[in-house]
Structure formats: structure tokens, C-alpha cells
Amino acid sequence: MTCASRCQKFLISRVGEDWIFLILLGLLMALVSWVMDYAIAFCQEAQKWMYGGLDSNMLLQYIAWVTYPVVLITFSAGFTQILAPQAVGSGIPEMKTILRGVVLKEYLTFKTFVAKVIGLTCALGSGMPLGKEGPFVHVASLCAALLSKFMAALFGGIYMNELRNTEMLSAACAVGVGCCFAAPIGGVLFSIEVTSTFFAVRNYWRGFFAATFSAFIFRVLAVWNQEEETITALFKTRFRLDFPFDLQELPAFAILGIACGFGGALFVYLNRLIVECMRKQKTINKYLLRKRLVYPALVTLLVSTLTFPPGFGQFMAGQLTQHESLVALFDNRTWCRQGVAEEFDYISHHHAWKHPQVNVFITLILFIIMKFWMSAVATTMPVPCGAFMPVFLIGAAFGRLVGEIMATMFPDGIHADGTVYPIVPGGYAVVGAAALSGAVTHTVSTAVIVFELTGQISHILPVMIAVILANAVAQSLQPSLYDSIIRIKKLPYLPELGMGHHEKYNIRVEDIMVRDVRFITLNSTYRDLQEMLLTGQLKTLALVESRDSMILLGSIERLQLQSLLSLQLGRQRRLEYLRQLAQDNGTHDHLPSLTTDSTPSSPCTHTNLNASANTSARQGVRFLVSTQQSFIIHSFKVSVLSSFSLQIAEWEEQQLDEPVDFKNCKIDPAPFQLVEQTSLHKTHTIFSLLGLDHAYVTSMGRLVGVVSLKELRKAIEGSVTVTGVKVRPPLASFRDSGNTTSVSEVTELHKLCIRWCQK
């Protein structure tokens, strides 16, 4: 046993410290991703089977085509709302907030995991223009959090460390993207860009290892299930390698990138505009809050109606899933030359783009326009969903459109060294997909993701050019989609100092700090402490030497102050005082000795009445005496209670006037401090690097103000000028919204006395 325990200890401490956790995380996420993909594909095939089986009746086809996704979306919205509303949406904005140090309650629990997985499967199985990349970041983080608790319960030690859990969450974000697209390298880079302002290099290998292992298992499962012959890319392309593109095409790729930048900014703006418009309409907002399933059902009904294949869907390849559409758009053959569709080889999924009345250009334009606003609306539904995949698809369609236009403009292709090389529209689709998704998310790693998705790196130069230009345009116009959602949900996150903020480098801390700081001194009494706790909800209070010197000595958390007050005026001390008070007053000696058996003499007891009348009289007298006794005892208790209440109130006043004894609480002797002349840029960097939510401002050691995320956010967003701001109330980021502890023990003194006297 000793040898076995030693081996286990060595394995866990040396080998399994990180490796076992990361292997389990990668394996679990690969299984979850594969099972979900299988279930999603089954749901989508079921819809097609229902649609195809009713081809004799178009009305029944329409009913089946519309009802199926409405039922799935409604179930997803209702199930998520009942089980865990935290599972709604993407998950990346919240993970970005959590990794910054903010605690979001019930966000990393098992209930949220179940709601996220089942709700996301139903939402994607409905065929709506939704994605799973963002939600998978949340799912991976949930797996990491639950796995950490399991490992902590099993092995303890390092798995109970908060910092280690944060590091594992950072790795989990990479795993989420890696097993979603089988793109481990792009997954790690993408997770760093969207969730971290500053990334610890020591976590780099964890993310790469877990993401690579997860992507490997994910693709091995596909081979094992005979879906693939071997491990290949999800959207494998066959672009030529000897001459993938000509230098004359680079301007077209650059224009494509710039256009995608404007398109990405427009998508973010439209998404936010829809949410804000619904919130401003108070009548609609109240109705939708009461009937939470109405909005997703109506949106799904509208989208399904417009994509009905015999209807308007015939002009926009409505019967294709997102995966089938991407396979067709990445095809390396040219669909149309000189506006003629005869040379379009309609095989596999390509027949959906053919229409006898309109050419490919009209089909692609309608597809882009309709999918654009449909995706913007669909991603606002209260279901687990992401926006990356719909945007990726729209970008691929736009790139395909540009590629087909280039093929029409250069029908004979590009001449080089006497050899004719035709235009490859599929290459433009790859560039467009990377550029638009990069513009919406403000990331460059989408370039790496498309390389791993397509299995080719032939278009690395045009992809990088387009993605960089798209980011430059989008960042100057709108925040990223995730930052936009953070603003909509009002999550406590610090925005970036991006383009156009150089003039704010002249702003100093003294211009934005709050000067009316709530603090306690070494000479503070418990009364001051009680008033501070009752009148404010600050999570942390500054401790200074005195009101005159204002020398900052440290900071104390609210819970510590509540503990101090409880020790001074808590239940134990009150009961001790009540017992002592009762003994001093001799209360127990003054209680009446009346009992129900004592019956005073009465003339009625000496009369010659019959036995029944005599018994009734005695019972009546006993009842009268008993009532009198109860009245006397009750009056006595009321008298004692009044006396005790007055004395306890005096005792409480005496206790509150005593100085606070800080020996029984934990004091942070080195809270983070800034000086008045610290620049906004430096303050932003420090807050982002250290994950701070507030910092005290000192001058020669004297406390002069405090600055927090709220002030920084206002300064960056332009509501603060160099001339300074008004003094504002205590910071919202200080407030502990999840803390339900109060000082009710102090204010409910008389209730305690009543309960004691009733015993």
C-alpha cells in the first residue's frame, strides 16, 4: 500500500499535474463535439426526409419545412430558459469577462453545461443561420471547470488553486475552437485574440497540447465511424499549387478585404441595432419578457418561410445546409463565364445554385443579402448560438461572387510564360470567408483557421492582406461582435484602446478619479462601521490612519467588516449579556408560583348542590383562575421584555461607541495604488495586465481618490475630457451584487429578545 500510494503521488505530482487534466479535457470535448455533430446532422437529415417525402403536396411540404425548425428552436429556448438562462448566446463575451477576474454566478455549472449542449444541438439542428464556434468555447470552459472540481475532489492539491483554474480555462477556450473546426493552431490563436488582453506565455503549451489532442480525437472518431477515409480537413480544397493566383489579382483581393471590413462593421451595427430597438419599444419588450418563446418562434417562422426551396429559397440555395453551402462555395471550378451558365458543372450540391430564370450572380447576391440580415436577426434569439459560422459562410459567398466576376472579366484567365491559368473563384471564397469573419471578430487568426479548414496554404498572401485590411476598416468603425455584446449586456469589462484613441493619452488619473472615497480609520468606532455597511455596498473599503493624515494603510473587504461587527454585536455576545442581566436582576426568583391546581376558597364550595353542579362550578373557577394566572404571567413577561429591551438598547449603544479592534480581521497591506499623474494609457495597461477592478490614487502616501473600470470605460468611450469630471458616487464595479449578507443581526435586536423571553 505504501508503494502504491507513493507511485500514485509521484504520478499525480510529476506527470499528472497538467497532462492528465489536459488529456481528459481534450478527450471529453472531442466526444462532445462528435456526438453533437452527429445529432445535428441527424436532425437536418430528418427535415430533408420529411420535405422529400411530401413532394406530392407543396402545402404539406411547407408545413413540414416550417414546423420542424420552429419546434426545435422553441424547445431550445424553453429548455434553456428553464434549466439555465446563462447558457443563452455565444459565451465568448462572458468568458472574456471571467478570464479578466470577474465572477459570473451559475455560469460554469453542470446545469449550464446540460442546457448549453442540448439547447445548442437543437438550435443548430433546426437549420437556422447559427454557429457553434462561440458556444463551444463556453462548453469547453464548462468542461474544464467541472473537471477541475472533479480532480480537486479526487486528488486535491493544485486543482483547488484559483490561479490554476484560470489557466485551465484559458486552455479550454482554445480546445473549444480546436475541436469545433479541427483547427488546433487557429483555435489557440483565436482564443487568445478574443478572450485575453494579455496572455501568459506559460499557458501557451497547455492550449496547443489540449487543442491538438482534441482535434486529433475528433477527426479519428470521424474515421472510426467511416465518415472519412483518413484524417483530412473539414472543407478540403484542391487549388493548384504551381500558380494559385497572379499578382494582377492582388488588387482584387485587397478590395475584397476592404469591402469585408465595411460588411463586418455593418453586421455588428445591425446586430446591436436590433437588440436596442427591441429594448426601446417598451410595449414589445414587456410582452416578449412575458412570452419568451414568441420571439424565437416568429424569427424561425420568418427565416424558414423565406428559405422554403419551392418558394423564395430557390433563388438562394435554400435547401442547402451551411456545411453543404461551404463545400460548394470552396469549389475550385468556375461556375459562370461571361454571364453564361452553360459551362457550370452542376454536380453534387452545386445544382442548388442553378435557376432557369436567373444566373449565378443573382443567386449569389440574393444569398448574401438574405443571409446577412437573417444571421443578424437569428443570433439575437434567446438560444445557445454563435455568429462565427454564418458570417464565415456569408464571407465565402461574397468572395465567390467577386471571384466569378473576375472570371467573367478575364474569361481567358491570366497569361504567364505562355501558359493560360484560369481564375479560381474558390480561392476568392476562402479569402472572403477569412476577411469577413476576421472583421466581425477583430481577429487575424481567422486566416490560420481557413488554412486548417481547407487543408491548403496556397492563398496565404491574399488571405493575410484581406484579413489585415478588413480588420483595419472594421476596428475604425465598430467594436468587435463580442465587445458589442459585452456593452449590450453591460458586463464589467474594460474596452480596448484601439484606433482613434491617441488623443486620450493626455488624460491623467486625476482627471477621471472619484475624489469622494469611502474609507475607515484606525479610530473608527463600530457605529461608523455599521453606518458604512448600511449606507453603501462597496466590496472593499480603504483603511487610512486618520481623517487628518489620510495615510493609506491598506484595504479591508466588506465580508471582513461584517465579521467584525458580528463579533461585537453578534448573537453570542447578546445572549451572554441577557443571561448576565437576568442573573443580576434575579428574574427567575420573581416568577409567580401560581399553578392550575391552586383553587382559592369560594362560597360555592360549601353549598349542598348536586355532584354535577359542584363539578361544573369547580371547573369554572379553575378556568377563571387559570386565565388570571396567564394574564399575570403575560403582563410580567411584557414588563420584563420592556425592561430588557431598554437595557439592551443601552448596551448596544455602548458597544457601537467602542473603537474597532482590527486585530480580528484580514487587512490587505498593499492595495494597488496609482499616482495622480499616471496617464490613461498606462492605467489601462496596468488594469488589463493585472486584471484589476479598482486602484487607489495616492499623493505622497495620502489617499486622494479611487479609479475603477467604470471611470476608465467612460474615459475611453469619450465621455471624459481632459478638464476633468464631476465627482461621482462609489463605483459600480465595487459593488458586490451577488452578496446577500446584511447587518440584520444588528438591526433585529428586539426580535431576538422576544424569542428569548418566549422560551
Side-chain angles (χ1 to χ4, degrees):
M1 291 296 295
T2 305
C3 181
S5 61
R6 288 181 178 178
C7 291
Q8 181 182 6
K9 183 178 180 180
F10 175 81
L11 180 66
I12 297 302
S13 61
R14 299 295 181 183
V15 181
E17 183 172 309
D18 287 324
W19 294 93
I20 292 179
F21 182 92
L22 296 175
I23 289 174
L24 291 176
L25 177 61
L27 179 62
L28 181 61
M29 279 306 300
L31 290 172
V32 171
S33 180
W34 182 76
V35 171
M36 284 185 61
D37 282 355
Y38 186 84
I40 291 168
F42 177 81
C43 292
Q44 293 176 345
E45 288 299 323
Q47 183 185 21
K48 289 187 176 182
W49 176 79
M50 292 173 57
Y51 169 78
L54 300 171
D55 55 353
S56 59
N57 191 320
M58 186 177 295
L59 178 60
L60 292 179
Q61 276 189 317
Y62 170 75
I63 294 175
W65 182 267
V66 170
T67 304
Y68 187 81
V70 169
V71 171
L72 285 179
I73 288 292
T74 305
F75 173 78
S76 175
F79 181 79
T80 305
Q81 185 63 38
I82 293 173
L83 187 60
Q86 295 82 4
V88 171
S90 169
I92 289 182
E94 289 81 2
M95 286 310 304
K96 191 172 184 178
T97 306
I98 289 174
L99 288 176
R100 207 198 168 282
V102 179
V103 177
L104 298 181
K105 283 195 170 184
E106 301 296 326
Y107 200 75
L108 297 176
T109 60
F110 181 73
K111 288 197 309 180
T112 308
F113 173 79
V114 175
K116 195 81 173 185
V117 171
I118 296 179
L120 180 61
T121 303
C122 295
L124 297 180
S126 67
M128 290 294 100
L130 305 170
K132 76 169 189 175
E133 179 263 350
F136 251 63
V137 171
H138 186 197
V139 171
S141 302
L142 285 163
C143 288
L146 297 174
L147 193 58
S148 295
K149 293 181 180 178
F150 171 76
M151 300 291 280
L154 194 61
F155 303 113
I158 59 171
Y159 299 103
M160 303 179 68
N161 187 281
E162 183 179 355
L163 179 60
R164 178 56 57 91
N165 291 337
T166 303
E167 293 176 348
M168 293 308 173
L169 284 179
S170 179
C173 293
V175 174
V177 184
C179 69
C180 180
F181 294 137
I185 301 175
V188 172
L189 299 178
F190 185 84
S191 66
I192 293 174
E193 285 190 281
V194 300
T195 62
S196 305
T197 305
F198 288 89
F199 185 77
V201 181
R202 65 177 178 272
N203 296 330
Y204 214 46
W205 74 270
R206 294 187 179 94
F208 269 111
F209 173 74
T212 303
F213 184 78
S214 180
F216 171 74
I217 298 297
F218 176 65
R219 299 305 291 156
V220 165
L221 289 172
V223 177
W224 173 75
N225 197 42
Q226 298 181 352
E227 298 173 9
E228 301 285 349
E229 294 182 359
T230 185
I231 297 179
T232 58
L234 286 178
F235 303 99
K236 189 172 180 58
T237 57
R238 296 175 176 83
F239 303 146
R240 59 174 182 262
L241 300 178
D242 54 343
F243 197 84
F245 61 91
D246 191 80
L247 289 178
Q248 300 178 44
E249 297 181 67
L250 287 181
F253 288 121
I255 294 174
L256 175 59
I258 295 173
C260 286
F262 285 104
L266 179 61
F267 183 88
V268 175
Y269 173 76
L270 181 60
N271 181 272
R272 186 172 65 252
L273 182 64
I274 294 171
V275 177
E276 291 177 348
C277 288
M278 293 179 59
R279 287 184 176 180
K280 289 180 181 178
Q281 300 295 331
K282 295 184 178 180
T283 305
I284 298 177
N285 190 31
K286 290 181 179 179
Y287 177 77
L288 294 180
L289 287 176
R290 292 196 305 267
K291 310 290 184 180
R292 295 181 180 273
L293 302 183
V294 172
Y295 178 69
L298 291 177
V299 171
T300 307
L301 178 63
L302 175 62
V303 174
S304 301
T305 301
L306 293 176
T307 57
F308 182 55
F312 192 76
Q314 62 184 312
F315 301 103
M316 50 178 292
Q319 69 266 39
L320 296 184
T321 64
Q322 293 187 101
H323 187 276
E324 294 169 347
S325 298
L326 279 174
V327 170
L329 293 171
F330 286 161
D331 183 48
N332 61 334
R333 290 165 293 184
T334 304
W335 289 358
C336 183
R337 294 181 181 177
Q338 297 179 341
V340 182
E342 284 76 9
E343 299 185 26
F344 185 4
D345 187 11
Y346 298 100
I347 60 174
S348 184
H349 302 302
H350 301 85
H351 68 279
W353 302 93
K354 181 182 179 180
H355 194 274
Q357 279 81 33
V358 296
N359 56 29
V360 178
F361 298 107
I362 302 299
T363 304
L364 285 172
I365 291 174
L366 290 176
F367 179 87
I368 294 168
I369 295 175
M370 297 301 291
K371 287 291 183 181
F372 192 90
W373 70 263
M374 284 180 181
S375 301
V377 174
T379 50
T380 62
M381 292 190 299
V383 296
C385 64
F388 184 89
M389 204 60 188
V391 170
F392 193 83
L393 177 61
I394 296 169
F398 182 66
R400 185 82 197 192
L401 176 63
V402 175
E404 294 292 342
I405 293 175
M406 288 292 293
T408 303
M409 295 174 59
F410 299 95
D412 298 329
I414 304 296
H415 298 269
D417 299 330
T419 306
V420 178
Y421 293 96
I423 301 294
V424 183
Y428 286 83
V430 171
V431 174
L436 187 61
S437 55
V440 170
T441 59
H442 287 191
T443 58
V444 184
S445 55
T446 53
V448 183
I449 291 178
V450 297
F451 298 149
E452 295 183 278
L453 276 176
T454 60
Q456 282 191 280
I457 202 172
S458 57
H459 286 72
I460 181 172
L461 184 60
V463 166
M464 290 303 300
I465 291 175
V467 169
I468 291 174
L469 289 175
N471 268 273
V473 174
Q475 290 181 22
S476 63
L477 297 175
Q478 288 289 325
S480 70
L481 179 63
Y482 307 125
D483 289 339
S484 177
I485 296 175
I486 286 175
R487 293 183 182 181
I488 292 174
K489 293 186 175 181
K490 297 180 179 179
L491 298 175
Y493 187 76
L494 185 61
E496 296 296 325
L497 269 176
M499 300 173 59
H501 291 292
H502 299 289
E503 72 280 357
K504 295 185 174 63
Y505 285 24
N506 295 326
I507 299 179
R508 305 294 177 184
V509 168
E510 61 182 351
D511 299 320
I512 64 174
M513 68 181 183
V514 174
R515 301 179 184 274
D516 185 16
V517 188
R518 297 179 69 86
F519 60 89
I520 55 178
T521 69
L522 291 177
N523 301 324
S524 294
T525 62
Y526 286 97
R527 188 182 303 278
D528 300 330
L529 209 60
Q530 182 188 36
E531 182 181 357
M532 197 74 66
L533 293 173
L534 290 174
T535 59
Q537 294 294 325
L538 298 183
K539 189 177 181 180
T540 307
L541 286 173
L543 176 64
V544 299
E545 185 180 32
S546 64
R547 290 184 176 273
D548 296 329
S549 65
M550 291 299 291
I551 300 298
L552 181 63
L553 301 178
S555 63
I556 307 178
E557 294 185 357
R558 179 183 180 87
L559 293 177
Q560 293 292 323
L561 298 178
Q562 290 175 341
S563 178
L564 283 176
L565 197 58
S566 297
L567 288 175
Q568 185 70 6
L569 297 173
R571 183 186 302 273
Q572 188 64 29
R573 292 200 63 194
R574 293 180 212 160
L575 291 177
E576 291 178 359
Y577 176 73
L578 287 172
R579 293 191 188 99
Q580 183 64 37
L581 191 62
Q583 293 177 2
D584 294 342
N585 293 338
T587 303
H588 296 290
D589 297 335
H590 290 85
L591 288 175
S593 57
L594 297 175
T595 62
T596 56
D597 292 333
S598 59
T599 55
S601 58
S602 171
C604 296
T605 58
H606 300 289
T607 59
N608 294 323
L609 298 176
N610 57 47
S612 60
N614 193 14
T615 303
S616 299
R618 273 201 302 272
Q619 290 179 349
V621 171
R622 287 181 181 179
F623 175 77
L624 177 61
V625 172
S626 177
T627 304
Q628 292 175 349
Q629 284 185 225
S630 300
F631 177 76
I632 294 172
I633 294 173
H634 177 70
S635 301
F636 180 79
K637 283 191 173 184
V638 171
S639 176
V640 172
L641 175 61
S642 301
S643 176
F644 279 8
S645 296
L646 292 176
Q647 296 183 57
I648 292 175
E650 294 177 0
W651 173 84
E652 180 183 355
E653 293 296 323
Q654 295 174 359
Q655 298 300 313
L656 289 175
D657 289 332
E658 292 185 5
V660 179
D661 184 8
F662 292 102
K663 295 179 181 179
N664 296 322
C665 73
K666 296 179 181 179
I667 301 175
D668 181 6
F672 201 86
Q673 304 174 37
L674 299 172
V675 296
E676 295 174 291
Q677 297 301 314
T678 305
S679 66
L680 175 64
H681 179 262
K682 188 174 182 179
T683 304
H684 180 277
T685 303
I686 293 173
F687 269 62
S688 301
L689 182 61
L690 301 179
L692 302 177
D693 61 355
H694 73 281
Y696 296 110
V697 184
T698 58
S699 176
M700 302 293 291
R702 297 177 64 252
L703 179 64
V704 295
V706 67
V707 64
S708 79
L709 292 177
K710 182 178 180 180
E711 280 63 48
L712 287 180
R713 186 161 50 243
K714 285 186 176 182
I716 294 171
E717 292 174 352
S719 60
V720 175
T721 61
V722 181
T723 57
V725 294
K726 296 180 180 180
V727 175
R728 288 182 290 277
L731 312 180
S733 61
F734 276 63
R735 303 185 191 280
D736 187 10
S737 58
N739 183 19
T740 58
T741 307
S742 65
V743 288
S744 58
E745 289 186 357
V746 179
T747 58
E748 296 182 356
L749 176 63
H750 300 293
K751 293 182 180 179
L752 178 63
C753 296
I754 293 174
R755 289 197 299 269
W756 181 86
C757 291
Q758 288 176 345
K759 291 182 179 179

